[in-house]
């Protein structure tokens, strides 16, 4: 367990999606400063190989450490699922990913020990969530939902097309022996924006576990501080210094990022990571 009085937390994602994790961190841990790295020039990670994702992720987290990150949060589910070990090996500071906290929360929430995880193709193919949940005695079905990321990026979080797509994915996920699964894990940075829609589409008895929320709690645990429960007041948030690094256009990051963070994104620096 790390105890840093006012920590600088580095948050890494393939793009803007990880701002949902930063948002949860700001709610729970407002007395910290944050550096956020979005690898927007090289996203999506969700359709890439483990070797490529590991190579990209290690470069990005090194950048965050070189700029003062004292603890790293791998907000990207795909990067956590495919490259967590490589990231940890190369890091000088403590690293928290999204899979273990999500699996913990799901295991707590499930009464019949059956859970469904949705994520990108790469996250699902890695079976990282399956391993984490089976280790906790849970039976798992994983379902790739590749169309949801572009629909969220399009801003179609309440669009009939997205609802139809989600209905198809979830009916396939909750079919046959997974019919009575009682927890749905949102195993992708973009899905928290779909929570109201997924709540409507998922069977009523299902609890939705947001791995962004679970990760913020885990980070508070690592810092040995009590997380704040419930949403933070806007004035409490203003205490944190936020700096953003993006590998594609800073302007584009600001524009798209505000939707994911829930408030304006400023102080964005364009970064060119050499191959
Ligand atoms: N950040 C990715 C994840 O959480 C989704 C976007 C991408 O594929 O790069 O899996």
């Amino acid at each position: 367990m790390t105890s840093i009085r006012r920590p600088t937390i580095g948050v890494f994602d393939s793009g803007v999606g990880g701002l949902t994790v930063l948002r949860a961190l700001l709610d729970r841990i407002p007395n910290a400063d944050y550096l956020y790295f979005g690898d927007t020039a090289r996203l999506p990670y969700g359709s890439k190989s483990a070797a490529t994702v590991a190579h990209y992720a290690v470069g990005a987290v090194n950048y965050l450490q070189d700029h003062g990150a004292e603890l790293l949060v791998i907000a990207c589910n795909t990067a956590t699922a495919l490259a967590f070990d490589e990231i940890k090996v190369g890091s000088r500071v403590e690293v928290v990913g999204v899979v273990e906290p999500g699996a913990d929360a799901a295991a707590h929430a499930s009464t019949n020990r059956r859970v469904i995880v949705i994520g990108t193709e790469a996250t699902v193919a890695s079976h990282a969530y399956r391993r984490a949940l089976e280790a906790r005695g849970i039976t798992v079905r994983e379902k790739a939902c590749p169309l949801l990321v572009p629909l969220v990026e399009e801003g179609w979080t309440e669009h009939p097309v997205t609802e139809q797509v989600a209905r198809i994915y979830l009916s396939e996920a909750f079919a046959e022996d997974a019919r009575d699964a009682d927890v749905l894990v949102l195993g992708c940075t973009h899905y928290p924006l779909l929570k109201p829609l997924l709540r409507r589409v998922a069977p009523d008895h299902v609890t939705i576990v947001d791995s962004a929320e679970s990760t913020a709690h885990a980070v508070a645990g690592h810092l040995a501080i009590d997380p704040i429960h419930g949403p933070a007041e806007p004035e409490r948030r203003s205490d944190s210094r936020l700096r953003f690094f993006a590998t594609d256009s800073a302007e584009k990051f600001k524009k798209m990022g505000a939707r994911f963070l829930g408030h304006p994104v400023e102080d964005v620096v364009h970064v060119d990571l050499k191959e």
Side-chain angles (χ1 to χ4, degrees):
M1 205 177 270
T2 314
S3 196
I4 304 168
R5 202 173 42 82
R6 185 185 172 86
T8 298
I9 301 175
V11 182
F12 164 64
D13 182 50
S14 58
V16 288
L19 293 170
T20 58
V21 178
L22 178 57
R23 188 176 185 164
L25 287 163
L26 287 166
D27 281 347
R28 307 292 167 206
I29 313 168
N31 301 322
D33 296 319
Y34 292 90
L35 305 172
Y36 180 98
F37 191 107
D39 197 4
T40 40
R42 302 190 289 197
L43 64 77
Y45 280 15
S47 51
K48 293 196 169 66
S49 71
T52 300
V53 169
H55 174 65
Y56 290 171
V58 167
V61 301
N62 283 342
Y63 188 92
L64 283 171
Q65 290 177 90
D66 292 345
H67 285 76
E70 296 160 298
L71 181 141
L72 288 168
V73 179
I74 312 304
C76 182
N77 284 256
T78 304
T80 305
L82 274 66
F84 192 64
D85 291 344
E86 287 91 330
I87 294 169
K88 258 176 95 167
V89 166
S91 297
R92 306 183 290 275
V93 299
E94 209 163 340
V95 189
V96 180
V98 280
V99 172
E100 290 291 319
D104 264 341
H108 271 104
S110 178
T111 45
N112 66 6
R113 320 306 286 160
R114 286 178 180 274
V115 168
I116 290 184
V117 181
I118 54 173
T120 64
E121 295 275 15
T123 297
V124 166
S126 76
H127 298 306
Y129 273 104
R130 175 184 296 275
R131 282 192 299 279
L133 283 157
E134 284 181 352
R136 291 162 173 82
I138 303 283
T139 303
V140 192
R141 173 173 289 175
E142 297 160 297
K143 172 77 184 158
C145 302
L147 294 175
L148 295 183
V149 165
L151 287 167
V152 171
E153 293 200 350
E154 191 61 34
W156 288 14
T157 49
E158 279 297 341
H159 195 286
V161 167
T162 312
E163 181 153 344
Q164 184 63 13
V165 168
R167 265 189 211 290
I168 294 169
Y169 282 144
L170 292 196
S171 67
E172 288 170 3
F174 282 91
E176 297 142 20
D177 52 335
R179 202 179 301 278
D180 60 345
D182 64 354
V183 171
L184 174 67
V185 178
L186 309 186
C188 176
T189 47
H190 289 53
Y191 301 170
L193 271 70
L194 292 174
K195 236 193 277 182
L197 183 148
L198 293 170
R199 182 60 284 164
R200 289 199 304 276
V201 171
D204 286 346
H205 69 277
V206 166
T207 301
I208 293 182
V209 166
D210 175 349
S211 57
E213 295 281 345
S214 329
T215 301
H217 273 272
V219 173
H222 278 273
L223 293 169
I225 56 169
D226 283 335
I228 284 166
H229 295 278
E233 307 297 330
E235 59 274 17
R236 213 157 60 200
R237 271 190 184 165
S238 61
D239 194 26
S240 296
R241 171 147 196 237
L242 307 180
R243 291 166 66 202
F244 301 91
F245 307 101
T247 52
D248 193 21
S249 145
E251 282 315 307
K252 226 175 124 188
F253 186 93
K254 281 185 193 169
K255 210 167 147 217
M256 180 108 105
R259 267 202 296 124
F260 286 77
L261 190 60
H263 65 84
V265 172
E266 287 139 18
D267 201 356
V268 185
V269 173
H270 173 255
V271 172
D272 190 5
L273 280 192
K274 300 280 171 262
E275 281 299 313

